[in-house]
DNA sequence: TCTGGGGTCCTAGGACCC
DNA sequence: TCTGGGGTCCTAGGACCC
């Protein structure tokens, strides 16, 4: 019988590491990458962690560290991170029969039948460092939940050299490891659950492992029961199939300043809906419904949010049709007199394009025409860069656009922004 | 002054049906 | 005024993830 074995490979401080690849001056310094709109800290170098910058903190609260401690902030550059991610994942995929890309910076590998994956993991680590300049860590264990924890151990214990195999240590040692991990740090235990667990006296990963799985399952949910079972070494969360299309597609952004008028909201929502449609077509899907949300700052005392929805007669991927529905949904939601800070568009009832239901009332010529138009639009934007062709409704000034004041160039995905190499 | 964005899954409860 | 029981489906909302 083969024992299940999972490896979780995770890039260290991924966004910061990507920035450092193209800007070596950032090495060894406290660096953070900010969320869209330069709002919150979403990635930190070890040096930034060391001077006390917390994950998710609003940047204005730590900006004083620029002067005091030499903290460096970068705006997020998702085209760069996405491209680097694809390169890492391609390399990793070569080392195991099955790969599940779990997020932009981590993936699971199913390494069940492979003996001694630990050595392979070290080789992977060296390869990624050598070819991309990105540091990674690998956790290996009989379940995904334990692989996540093992990865954290690999990351926090310098002497391990970035790789830790849970099964390679004694049960006593395993118990000691779990005792040192706060229950909040277990995969699947969020803030709310952690509060409840702690109130029950379950404060560590070990406490959770030793709790009554049946009883906890009844009291909370099957998710909790699965987590407990996985902590005991019995896998219940398998590998997800790759390439399944999303069921919802969201495009939302905060504005760089407050927005009051319907006209400006129309521009923003047109832009967001167009972007969602691009994702939709890339997935080879069609959508049957759109909802538009507009909101004021969530942190204001009188915060206000309203949404509108439109269900389509037939599912479509046509930007112009969808934008028209989006405008309807927006007008349903809009109330004058508010300082809007954010708008978002969600496409719902998303299904594969193949085998979709065509409305009884639509004309085939119409469909063909729209298909050609969308193909041309996507091709132009792929060739000459996003935003080469866009609907006039997006507006040209876009004065509501988000802030990105510390942005690095799109080194790997735009011909105009390639890094320059100087020789002497 | 300044607080992200994009997903998934699970559950409870209502609607509806026989 | 009295007034069954059980099943399914759908949706909204909550919790989680990175």
């Amino acid at each position: 019988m083969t024992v299940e074995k999972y490896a979780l490979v995770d890039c260290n401080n991924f966004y910061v590491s990507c920035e450092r690849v193209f800007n070596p001056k950032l090495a060894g310094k406290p660096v953070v990458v900010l969320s869209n709109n330069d709002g919150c800290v979403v990635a930190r170098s070890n040096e930034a962690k060391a001077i006390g910058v917390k994950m998710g903190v609003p940047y204005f609260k730590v900006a004083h560290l620029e002067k005091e401690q030499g903290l460096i902030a970068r705006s997020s550059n998702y085209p760069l991170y996405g491209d680097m991610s694809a390169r890492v994942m391609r390399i990793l995929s070569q080392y195991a029969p099955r790969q599940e890309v779990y997020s932009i910076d981590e993936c699971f590998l199913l390494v069940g039948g492979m003996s001694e994956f630990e050595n392979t993991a070290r080789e992977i680590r060296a390869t990624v460092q050598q070819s991309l300049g990105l540091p990674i860590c690998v956790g290996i264990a009989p379940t995904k939940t334990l692989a996540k924890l093992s990865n954290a151990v690999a990351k926090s214990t310098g002497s391990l050299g970035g790789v830790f195999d849970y099964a390679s240590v004694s049960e006593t040692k395993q118990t000691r490891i779990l005792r040192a991990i706060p229950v909040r740090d277990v995969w699947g235990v969020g803030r709310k659950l952690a509060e409840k667990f702690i109130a029950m006296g379950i404060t560590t990963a070990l406490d959770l492992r030793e709790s009554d799985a049946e009883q906890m399952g009844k009291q909370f949910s099957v998710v909790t029961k699965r987590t407990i079972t996985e902590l005991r070494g019995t896998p219940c969360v398998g590998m997800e199939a790759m390439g399944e299309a999303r069921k919802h597609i969201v495009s939302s952004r905060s504005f760089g300043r407050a927005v009051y008028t319907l006209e400006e909201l129309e521009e923003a929502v047109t832009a967001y809906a167009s972007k969602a449609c691009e994702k939709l077509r890339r997935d080879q899907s069609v959508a049957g419904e759109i909802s538009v949300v507009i909101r004021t700052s969530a942190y204001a005392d009188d915060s206000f949010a309203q949404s509108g929805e439109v269900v389509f007669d037939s599912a479509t991927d046509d930007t112009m049709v969808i934008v028209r529905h989006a405008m309807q949904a927006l007008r349903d939601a809009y109330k004058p007199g508010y300082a809007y800070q954010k708008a978002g568009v969600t496409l719902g009832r998303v299904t594969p394009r193949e085998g979709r239901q065509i409305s009884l009332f639509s004309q085939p010529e119409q469909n063909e025409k729209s298909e050609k138009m969308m193909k041309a639009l996507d091709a132009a934007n792929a060739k000459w860069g996003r935003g080469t062709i866009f609907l006039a409704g997006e507006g040209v000034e876009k004065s509501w656009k988000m802030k990105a004041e510390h942005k690095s160039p799109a080194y790997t995905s735009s011909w105009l922004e390639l890094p320059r190499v100087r020789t002497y």
Side-chain angles (χ1 to χ4, degrees):
Chain A
M1 163 189 147
T2 57
V3 181
E4 299 251 8
K5 198 151 56 163
Y6 297 87
L8 178 74
V9 185
D10 172 300
C11 301
N12 305 356
N13 314 331
F14 182 56
Y15 298 169
V16 168
S17 298
C18 288
E19 295 289 338
R20 280 178 170 171
V21 169
F22 293 93
N23 188 350
K25 281 182 193 157
L26 300 176
K29 299 196 176 135
V31 180
V32 293
V33 172
L34 306 178
S35 63
N36 277 320
N37 227 20
D38 293 343
C40 299
V41 169
V42 293
R44 305 162 294 158
S45 69
N46 292 340
E47 298 80 4
K49 290 173 190 170
I51 60 170
V53 179
K54 298 270 183 270
M55 185 65 175
V57 69
Y59 188 62
F60 69 86
K61 290 192 178 170
V62 292
H64 61 93
L65 293 174
E66 282 183 26
K67 278 190 183 141
E68 296 164 17
Q69 307 265 6
L71 180 65
I72 300 170
R74 316 292 319 200
S75 300
S76 41
N77 183 346
Y78 289 105
L80 175 66
Y81 312 147
D83 185 68
M84 294 298 279
S85 170
R87 293 174 196 233
V88 175
M89 297 306 168
R90 207 175 311 131
I91 291 175
L92 299 180
S93 70
Q94 290 160 10
Y95 287 90
R98 288 193 62 192
Q99 175 189 39
E100 176 192 337
V101 176
Y102 182 67
S103 75
I104 194 165
D105 71 337
E106 60 189 278
C107 80
F108 288 102
L109 298 175
L110 186 62
V111 296
M114 311 172 72
S115 59
E116 281 305 301
F117 191 74
E118 212 177 319
N119 289 328
T120 310
R122 294 187 195 286
E123 186 189 325
I124 294 176
R125 203 161 169 271
T127 304
V128 173
Q129 180 68 55
Q130 166 69 28
S131 51
L132 296 172
L134 293 172
I136 63 173
C137 281
V138 186
I140 306 159
T143 69
K144 282 178 150 185
T145 303
L146 287 171
K148 290 280 276 185
L149 291 181
S150 300
N151 185 284
V153 171
K155 209 172 275 182
S156 62
T157 315
S159 58
L160 290 171
V163 178
F164 178 62
D165 184 347
Y166 188 76
S168 73
V169 300
S170 68
E171 282 186 27
T172 318
K173 179 87 207 231
Q174 291 174 354
T175 300
R176 206 155 61 220
I177 289 169
L178 294 186
R179 188 179 294 128
I181 298 173
V183 72
R184 174 67 177 83
D185 293 350
V186 175
W187 191 40
V189 179
R191 194 169 49 85
K192 297 273 183 184
L193 270 181
E195 274 171 24
K196 289 175 189 162
F197 289 168
I198 290 168
M200 300 166 73
I202 297 171
T203 62
T204 67
L206 181 65
D207 294 337
L208 187 59
R209 186 185 81 177
E210 302 306 310
S211 70
D212 183 336
E214 281 304 322
Q215 164 60 25
M216 293 287 279
K218 279 195 197 115
Q219 192 171 345
F220 298 97
S221 77
V222 298
V223 182
T224 297
K225 186 174 161 188
R226 279 202 287 261
T227 301
I228 296 168
T229 312
E230 287 233 324
L231 284 174
R232 292 175 185 169
T234 306
C236 339
V237 186
M239 298 287 277
E240 299 277 335
M242 298 253 311
E244 300 246 319
R246 294 165 278 196
K247 297 174 182 119
H248 300 271
I249 293 178
V250 177
S251 173
S252 69
R253 286 281 178 283
S254 299
F255 305 130
R257 60 166 171 81
V259 161
Y260 295 86
T261 67
L262 181 59
E263 289 69 34
E264 283 187 305
L265 288 172
E266 282 173 348
E267 287 185 11
V269 169
T270 299
Y272 302 168
S274 300
K275 188 159 185 208
C277 289
E278 282 171 32
K279 296 186 197 171
L280 186 68
R281 290 194 294 273
R282 215 179 305 141
D283 280 10
Q284 313 249 45
S285 299
V286 288
E289 165 191 85
I290 190 167
S291 94
V292 171
V293 184
I294 46 177
R295 56 171 64 247
T296 62
S297 168
Y299 302 90
D301 293 337
D302 54 349
S303 116
F304 166 83
Q306 186 71 51
S307 65
E309 280 167 34
V310 173
V311 177
F312 311 157
D313 290 336
S314 63
T316 180
D317 64 1
D318 186 320
T319 298
M320 291 194 283
V321 173
I322 289 176
V323 164
R324 201 156 58 233
H325 292 310
M327 292 303 99
Q328 181 58 52
L330 169 62
R331 283 190 287 270
D332 291 346
Y334 179 73
K335 284 197 180 61
Y338 288 95
Y340 293 101
Q341 200 63 56
K342 180 173 178 175
V345 163
T346 303
L347 297 176
R349 303 192 190 191
V350 172
T351 51
R353 190 166 202 286
E354 291 307 314
R356 73 186 191 280
Q357 289 285 331
I358 309 275
S359 160
L360 283 176
F361 306 104
S362 71
Q363 300 141 339
E365 319 83 75
Q366 192 64 39
N367 287 326
E368 204 174 304
K369 200 172 143 197
S370 114
E371 205 168 300
K372 275 189 185 155
M373 172 96 89
M374 290 306 115
K375 274 207 176 115
L377 185 102
D378 290 337
N381 286 333
K383 188 163 180 186
W384 292 296
R386 276 212 76 242
T388 302
I389 300 185
F390 58 92
L391 298 194
E394 292 184 27
V396 179
E397 295 278 327
K398 297 184 176 147
S399 62
W400 40 266
K401 263 184 77 164
M402 68 181 190
K403 283 186 286 194
E405 291 171 356
H406 315 275
K407 187 152 176 209
S408 53
Y411 295 111
T412 61
S413 52
S414 165
W415 290 113
L416 298 176
E417 302 179 26
L418 289 180
R420 277 149 224 219
V421 178
R422 216 177 295 162
T423 54
Y424 294 97

